[in-house]
């Protein structure tokens, strides 16, 4: 059996959500757990016929076993019309087998997103991303206001999870508060998973 890990699963078209995923992974590792970065392919009407098995760069595509065997999950998507992007939803809609066997019940999970406009639906996206995770019986980890960056941020950052304001051109980098909150979610997921993990004899 492999060491416990937090699955950091995301979709990113232009790189902003991917950078958040890397910061969350840093937080997981700072808390002493392994982070497994995975992504999903884009979808089109014939995606399964055309997507290469291994992406040209970046994280590997997620497999159902990555999700099944994780100790916790961070799920990230760009905001698209106030909701998560279709490629991530497509993957989630294929997880019924894990739902049937209750594989994810009791595991900690958190969500993150990036938008081009500051009030363009970060919170609606984060809340709607939690819905399938609740159906799976996962334990929601948001961000507590003891994280000072939540009160100081002039960009992204919500109690429902980390967020990033990428700007109209998508070029705004993660600022110090957004980075702090990404890392805080990673640390929180890792610490919670470590507490929940059944000791192996
Ligand atoms: C189809 C589509 C819908 C979008 N909807 C929103 C939206 O509702 N609100 C918003 O602020 N940005 C919206 N965006 C912009 C993305 O959320 C934003 O560029 C994000 O930072 C991209 O993340 P990425 O770099 O990880 O791909 C949308 C982009 C696309 C392509």
């Amino acid at each position: 059996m492999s060491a416990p890990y937090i699955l950091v699963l995301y979709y990113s078209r232009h790189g902003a959500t991917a950078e958040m995923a890397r910061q969350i992974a840093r937080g997981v590792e700072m808390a002493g757990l392994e982070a497994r970065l995975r992504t999903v392919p884009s979808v089109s009407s014939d995606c399964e016929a055309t997507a290469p098995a291994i992406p040209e760069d970046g994280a590997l595509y997620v497999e159902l076993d990555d999700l099944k065997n994780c100790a916790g999950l961070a799920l990230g998507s760009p905001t698209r019309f106030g909701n998560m992007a279709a490629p991530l939803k497509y993957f989630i809609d294929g997880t019924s087998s894990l739902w049937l066997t209750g594989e994810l019940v009791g595991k900690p999970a958190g969500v993150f997103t990036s938008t081009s406009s500051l009030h363009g639906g970060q919170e609606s996206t984060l809340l709607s991303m939690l819905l399938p995770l609740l159906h799976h019986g996962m334990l929601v980890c948001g961000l507590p206001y003891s994280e000072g960056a939540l009160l100081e941020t002039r960009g992204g950052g919500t109690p429902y999870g980390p967020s990033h304001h990428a700007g109209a051109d998508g070029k705004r980098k993660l600022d110090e508060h957004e980075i702090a909150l990404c890392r805080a979610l990673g640390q929180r997921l890792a610490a919670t998973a470590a507490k929940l993990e059944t000791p192996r004899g």
Side-chain angles (χ1 to χ4, degrees):
M1 189 177 282
S2 66
Y5 63 89
I6 301 295
L7 177 63
V8 184
L9 173 60
Y10 66 94
Y11 176 70
S12 182
R13 181 82 188 275
H14 300 293
T17 314
E19 180 55 24
M20 295 184 80
R22 286 189 284 273
Q23 294 296 340
I24 289 167
R26 283 280 298 280
V28 169
E29 288 159 0
M30 285 159 69
L33 234 62
E34 181 190 326
R36 188 174 292 187
L37 277 165
R38 291 290 184 272
T39 189
V40 293
S42 300
V43 291
S44 67
S45 56
D46 61 351
C47 62
E48 285 164 0
T50 58
I54 297 176
E56 280 179 14
D57 49 32
L60 293 174
Y61 292 136
V62 68
E63 295 179 4
L64 215 49
D65 271 359
D66 293 320
L67 184 57
K68 177 182 168 186
N69 297 324
C70 73
L73 170 69
L75 189 69
S77 171
T79 288
R80 292 205 167 164
F81 303 120
N83 211 320
M84 83 174 93
L88 197 62
K89 182 69 162 54
Y90 182 80
F91 172 76
I92 291 170
D93 285 357
T95 61
S96 302
S97 60
L98 303 187
W99 174 79
L100 279 169
T101 50
E103 300 286 352
L104 303 179
V105 172
K107 295 183 180 183
V111 290
F112 56 102
T113 191
S114 174
T115 60
S116 59
S117 54
L118 189 50
H119 302 289
Q122 293 183 349
E123 291 171 341
S124 63
T125 300
L126 294 172
L127 289 170
S128 60
M129 288 175 74
L130 289 176
L131 297 179
L133 306 185
L134 289 166
H135 278 254
H136 271 293
M138 302 194 88
L139 303 176
V140 170
C141 280
L143 290 168
Y145 272 91
S146 49
E147 295 296 336
L150 268 188
L151 287 168
E152 292 162 19
T153 182
R154 293 287 177 270
T158 85
Y160 314 112
S163 58
H164 168 54
H165 172 219
D169 61 2
K171 290 189 175 149
R172 186 177 170 274
K173 301 280 178 213
L174 292 179
D175 67 31
E176 59 174 318
H177 296 123
E178 292 170 336
I179 289 172
L181 292 170
C182 284
R183 292 187 184 177
L185 180 70
Q187 287 177 307
R188 197 160 195 234
L189 285 170
T192 305
K195 283 180 194 159
L196 293 170
E197 188 81 359
T198 315
R200 298 192 186 97

